[in-house]
Amino acid sequence: MADLFAKAVFPWWIAGGYAIELAVGRELRPHGDLDVLILRRDQALLRDLLAGWDLSVADPPGLGRLRPWHSGEVLQPPLHDIWCRRTPEAPWSVQLMLDESEGHEWVSRRTPQIRLPIERVGRTSASGIPYLAPEVQLFYKAKATRDKDETDFEAVLPLLEEGQRVWLAEAIKVIAPDHPWLRRLLPVSRT
């Protein structure tokens, strides 16, 4: 996918557990698919990049139902998950997530007051692969943590700089003021 997306003329980032692994520099656990985040404003460019792929959108979100993403269709909120496979007979292999933006800012699709300059949303691995900044990925994982999210948090926590920890703690406080990660992100005097 990195080779395919290297042709993209829009920003994109590996997301999910692979983003955490790119941040820590090692494999942590098995993965069922590959997650890639792009900005909603770039969805037409994405369609062009994936011409010939079988693309379906989760509609409505969160209910496990997919329908074809028709050529020329512009996906509006709340639609944000696109499932991809090379052919209709192939297994689903990539989940694309559309996120919002305003001007030069990334805007969380879940909580619009959570924002960052687009240039701070991602990092680049030593091999040149863009991935979601760990604090942004952990923010998304904090909504409903599972065992794999705890594994990812434990692995990346020692690598987070103070600014990343502060941003993540402030973002989590908006969605889950009693989240257990907060105690580990900031000294007691700041929580």
Side-chain angles (χ1 to χ4, degrees), residues 157-178:
L157 181 62
L159 305 176
L160 295 179
E161 296 174 358
E162 182 180 0
Q164 293 170 293
R165 286 173 179 248
V166 168
W167 183 89
L168 178 57
E170 293 302 318
I172 290 175
K173 284 179 189 177
V174 172
I175 61 166
D178 296 323

Side-chain angles (χ1 to χ4, degrees), residues 6-188:
K7 301 171 190 162
V9 294
F10 54 87
W12 61 276
W13 304 272
I14 298 295
Y18 281 119
I20 299 297
E21 289 181 357
L22 286 167
V24 300
R26 69 181 194 282
E27 187 176 326
L28 298 173
R29 57 183 174 78
H31 302 274
D33 65 356
L34 175 68
D35 300 329
V36 178
L37 184 117
I38 72 158
L39 300 174
R40 184 177 300 277
R41 69 183 186 200
D42 297 322
Q43 63 182 290
L45 297 169
L46 172 69
R47 285 234 28 135
D48 291 344
L49 183 70
L50 296 179
W53 280 62
D54 183 34
L55 306 174
S56 289
V57 62
D59 185 7
L63 294 183
R65 292 188 218 139
L66 297 176
R67 66 161 177 83
W69 183 22
H70 301 291
S71 180
E73 178 184 9
V74 177
L75 299 177
Q76 299 294 333
L79 303 178
H80 63 271
D81 277 335
I82 304 159
W83 288 84
C84 312
R85 55 188 174 183
R86 292 192 184 275
T87 68
E89 297 77 31
W92 298 109
S93 57
V94 179
Q95 180 183 4
L96 296 168
M97 295 162 292
L98 302 178
D99 240 346
E100 309 308 320
S101 62
E102 289 181 12
H104 297 289
E105 282 191 317
W106 162 83
V107 179
S108 167
R109 72 178 173 273
R110 291 182 182 163
T111 313
Q113 68 260 44
I114 306 297
R115 298 166 177 256
L116 271 176
I118 292 171
E119 69 268 7
R120 288 192 42 212
V121 170
R123 308 281 184 274
T124 305
S125 73
S127 59
I129 299 172
Y131 63 94
L132 207 53
E135 65 272 23
V136 177
Q137 185 58 65
L138 289 174
F139 164 70
Y140 278 116
K141 288 177 166 286
K143 180 180 178 188
T145 54
R146 302 157 292 183
D147 288 344
K148 65 183 182 177
D149 302 320
E150 294 294 338
T151 298
D152 292 348
F153 178 77
E154 291 295 329
V156 83
L157 181 62
L159 305 176
L160 295 179
E161 296 174 358
E162 182 180 0
Q164 293 170 293
R165 286 173 179 248
V166 168
W167 183 89
L168 178 57
E170 293 302 318
I172 290 175
K173 284 179 189 177
V174 172
I175 61 166
D178 296 323
H179 198 287
W181 289 355
L182 292 172
R183 291 186 303 277
R184 308 237 355 254
L185 285 168
L186 297 175
V188 175

